[in-house]
Each structure stands twice: as C-alpha cells, then as structure tokens.
Amino acid sequence: AHPGVFSAQERSDLQNYLGAVLYDQNKFQEALTAWNEYIQQVPGDRATLVDMARAWTALKQPIEAAATLRQALRMKRDDVDLLAQLGRSLMAAGDPSGFREAASLFREAMALQPSRVLRFELAQALGLSGRCEEAITELRAILAATPGWPPATNNLAWLLATGPDASLRDGPEAVRLATTVRNPEIIFTLGTLSAAYAEAGQFDDALQTIREAIAIEQARPSSEYLKDFQTMQASYEARQPHRDPRLAGGQGS
C-alpha cells in the first residue's frame, strides 16, 4: 500500500515474510508467488528455497519440488534431510530414471547419517529401478538388525512373490513373512499375502485373501488399491501368480 516507505531490500524481505505467513495458512500457491518475487532479488537464500520445495510438495508437484531442492543442494550438498527430500520427490514423480537417481541420493544420505528409514527408502528405490536383488539385500539387512519390522517384512515378501526374476522369487518364504504382518487395517498387507500364496501355488488361499481385501476396499469412500486388487484376483482365477510390472525398472514385466 505504501511502497515508497520501504527500501528495495525491505520490500524484498516483506515478500519473504508474506510467503511464510501464507504458507502457515496453507495458501501454498500464493506463498510460492510471494517467494518467487523474493527469490528473484535474493537467489542465494537457501532457507527460502527449502520452504518453496515444501510448498511444491504440499501441492503434490514433485517435479517442481525436485527442481527447487536441487538449487538448495548446490549451495550445501551435505544435508541429509534435503538429499532424502529430493529422493522422495523423485520417487513421487514416478519416472524410472528418477528412481535410479533417488537410490543414489538415499545412499549419499546414508553415508552421512545411516538410518533404518533411509535404508528402507533405498530398498524401495532399488526395487522400482529394476534392481530387485539389491533391494532384497537391503531389506534383509534391515531385518537382521531389527527382526520383524513390518514395513521391511512386507516389502521383502512382496519382492519375493512378485519380482520379475524367477531366481529371486521364493513363494514359501514370502508366505511366511507376509503372514506375520497380515493386518486388514493395513490393506496392502493383504495384497502382499495373496501374492505370496499365489507364488507358492496356493491359489485358493490367494483368492480368499484378495477377495477379503476387495470387500474392505469397496466399503471405503475412496479406494487406492481396488483396481490393482481386481487385477490380482483375475490372475489368481486363471491360476497365475501376480507380477509387479513396476519392479522391471520401466522395461516391462
């Protein structure tokens, strides 16, 4: 309202503060508009770039979030949180080449600060970039250190049941693992167990489990897994195991 009252630097700072206020009000797009004006004047403000990346993430725009995180990391590379955030943004973008880069980023972050969560995310990135054997190795390492940890147990069972490489699949072990984490309240664990049964040749058990999962999903207001579960059911009815095409690293199943 009174631009003449403020210096150019003060006006720039006010744009930054305005972005922060709008972000706190969940007005992410408006916050980005304010921050963009600020960053044109102060391109080296790493903290604001990090805030902008968080706003892009809140708007479910992972490609834009990744581009902004790259700018921030050019100023300070040894930031575990930002390396991991960039990896997660690339995973969310869903491009196979991004999965490969995400795996490298999670390894880089782990070299700075090892953690179970980072190792788990590394395993996910490896699996989705077609490197299932390495993913299995990482998941087994997690379970050796923390036996029975449900996320790693479920994902290892999934890889052993649905991966593209027959030499890596193990239906009986997948059933053993998936049975321990089966939880109808965590619906994808039923999908994992059904896939394990199918890989082990237990198609009646696979059908019973996937039908239970479908019934739960159909009763929900919105369904994330229903279409996938129906595809799995069709495979089991044809006495065929399920293969996850995502694990082929973008090369097809």
Side-chain angles (χ1 to χ4, degrees), residues 78-243:
D78 59 341
D79 187 315
V80 173
D81 289 338
L82 289 197
L83 288 167
Q85 284 180 42
L86 178 54
R88 291 167 193 142
S89 294
L90 293 170
M91 295 285 286
D95 183 80
S97 64
F99 299 148
R100 292 188 286 274
E101 183 182 356
S104 296
L105 288 160
F106 291 133
R107 282 197 192 280
E108 187 176 349
M110 281 186 61
L112 294 168
Q113 185 178 311
S115 80
R116 180 176 67 177
V117 170
L118 283 173
R119 193 162 208 167
F120 179 74
E121 291 177 308
L122 169 61
Q124 288 181 303
L126 289 168
L128 290 172
S129 59
R131 295 153 67 183
C132 290
E133 185 170 9
E134 293 176 69
I136 288 169
T137 297
E138 295 297 338
L139 290 169
R140 290 195 188 283
I142 292 171
L143 291 174
T146 53
W149 189 47
T153 302
N154 179 82
N155 282 23
L156 178 57
W158 181 259
L159 289 172
L160 294 175
T162 70
D165 186 343
S167 69
L168 299 176
R169 294 196 299 271
D170 186 331
E173 184 182 4
V175 170
R176 180 183 64 79
L177 291 166
T179 300
T180 67
V181 293
R182 180 191 184 280
N183 183 350
E185 294 183 4
I186 306 175
I187 193 66
F188 57 77
T189 65
L190 295 183
T192 300
L193 179 57
S194 76
Y197 279 137
E199 178 60 25
Q202 300 173 230
F203 289 105
D204 290 341
D205 290 328
L207 279 167
Q208 180 180 343
T209 305
I210 203 64
R211 285 168 179 159
E212 178 185 355
I214 288 171
I216 293 170
E217 280 292 272
Q218 287 176 328
R220 292 178 172 173
S222 60
S223 171
E224 182 179 355
Y225 299 102
L226 182 58
K227 185 176 178 181
D228 289 338
F229 287 166
Q230 290 171 334
T231 299
M232 295 167 75
Q233 179 182 5
S235 294
Y236 306 155
E237 288 172 344
R239 283 333 202 221
Q240 294 292 326
H242 178 68
R243 297 288 172 259

Side-chain angles (χ1 to χ4, degrees), residues 52-63:
M52 292 175 71
R54 291 183 179 132
W56 283 121
T57 299
L59 290 169
K60 300 187 186 304
Q61 299 290 330
I63 294 174

